[in-house]
Amino acid sequence: MIRPASRKFLSLFGCILAFFSAQGLPLLHAAEKGGGMTGPALPRQVGEWRLEGLDESYTPETLFDYMDGAAELYLSYNFRLMRMGRYSRGEGPRIVLELYEMASSEDAFGIFSFEREDREAGIGQGSEMGGGILRFWKGRYFASVYGEEETSEAAILALGKALEAEIREQGRPPELLAFLPEPSQGLEPGSVRFFRSHVCLNQRFFVANKNILLLGPETGGVLAVLSGPWGKVHLVLVRYPTESKAAEAQESFASAYMPEAGPEGVLLTEDKKWTGALRRGDLWVGVFGAESREDLGKILEMLLARKAAR
């Protein structure tokens, strides 16, 4: 049976499966990172809602027993341990609380960001509430709270706030986000996604069937939408482990995507939009869909200024 909270991730099954296959990695590679029983305690009672019995725990080896096909997404973000509890008021519907421990706050942000689409709920370091599901991240933890049947949104939010209070640590989102423009400059905050594979990038913005950006487990990328007088453009930023790897990726992208661009790295595409790509150190930047070459140049300059300020 598919959990309600898993439905948001089922579209990513093929994405993550293809990622592991393309990299030649075993699907359970995250199990090597281990995981323990330490961490925040699940609330025992919130209002009339009490935890039924003991909470359950799942490791990278056993997460597939709990999920019907969505475990690969969590493993791709270095999942370590999940604790799950069901809450009830006696008879009637139950609320399920899931707390995922990831390897880092970057991973927790990543898994939260990729399917983000609902309104902010004001919980943790980033949250959303929609369709009867509360999702948030804080520190290296990602949480999902939902009713097995139609349940009071207020009760779901109350359980989420109680869980957040148990998470003492604060985390940092990916450093790449600091290179993005500000909302006042046209950034659409809800569009920001953290990714690691080209297949997952293509789920949100198609670049190419092949992995021309040489993405993999050692890289991290950010996709975002920038709106303004230049129209709506897509930004793709990728950080590589070394400058040489970034240079190799830039050469791969240029030869496959825009071989006619020349040394300036800009191209007028078939849809009469402008695309540009460049590299600075270990950072690769791509801008897709600008209305004019002048607009493209302004956006690239904006991004380079952000990097220079770091």
Side-chain angles (χ1 to χ4, degrees), residues 177-305:
L177 271 62
F179 300 142
L180 293 173
E182 300 291 339
S184 61
Q185 297 172 300
L187 178 71
E188 297 183 9
S191 71
V192 177
R193 321 281 183 181
F194 180 77
F195 61 89
R196 294 194 185 278
S197 86
H198 77 286
V199 186
C200 290
L201 169 60
N202 287 342
Q203 290 281 324
R204 291 299 183 181
F205 178 70
F206 183 82
V207 174
N209 286 321
K210 296 183 178 180
N211 186 16
I212 61 175
L213 283 172
L214 309 184
L215 300 171
E218 75 284 0
T219 62
V222 170
L223 170 68
V225 173
L226 189 69
S227 298
W230 46 74
K232 179 174 289 189
V233 302
H234 285 83
L235 311 180
V236 179
L237 286 71
V238 183
R239 202 164 200 176
Y240 293 87
T242 63
E243 291 189 18
S244 61
K245 189 67 174 179
E248 183 183 354
Q250 168 66 354
E251 181 179 350
S252 171
F253 175 84
S255 62
Y257 193 92
M258 46 197 308
E260 306 91 354
E264 293 185 359
V266 299
L267 178 70
L268 181 64
T269 54
E270 294 180 356
D271 60 357
K272 305 304 180 183
K273 304 287 186 178
W274 286 87
T275 290
L278 52 81
R279 177 188 66 87
R280 289 295 184 271
D282 61 357
L283 180 68
W284 181 90
V285 176
V287 177
F288 300 80
E291 293 289 340
S292 69
R293 184 166 183 164
E294 180 181 7
D295 289 335
L296 176 65
K298 290 179 180 178
I299 297 170
L300 288 170
E301 288 177 8
M302 184 191 310
L303 296 173
L304 291 179

Side-chain angles (χ1 to χ4, degrees), residues 13-14 19 29 37 40 43 53 58 68 74 79 85 88 109 122 124 163 178 183 190 195 198 221-222 243 247 269 298:
F13 176 80
F19 166 63
H29 76 97
M37 298 302 293
Y58 295 87
D68 295 337
Y74 293 87
F79 164 77
S88 69
F109 171 85
L163 175 62
F195 61 89
H198 77 286
V222 170
E243 291 189 18
T269 54
K298 290 179 180 178

Side-chain angles (χ1 to χ4, degrees), residues 29-89:
H29 76 97
E32 299 172 5
K33 297 182 177 295
M37 298 302 293
T38 60
L42 301 192
R44 308 306 297 180
Q45 182 172 350
V46 177
E48 298 178 337
W49 295 86
R50 294 185 178 184
L51 180 64
E52 295 182 345
L54 299 176
D55 56 86
E56 302 174 12
S57 297
Y58 295 87
T59 66
E61 296 90 342
T62 61
L63 190 61
F64 288 93
D65 298 334
Y66 181 71
M67 298 183 176
D68 295 337
E72 288 85 1
L73 174 65
Y74 293 87
L75 295 177
S76 74
Y77 282 102
N78 297 316
F79 164 77
R80 288 184 170 180
L81 182 72
M82 189 271 278
R83 301 177 67 186
M84 185 276 291
R86 289 185 173 87
Y87 293 78
S88 69
R89 297 178 294 181

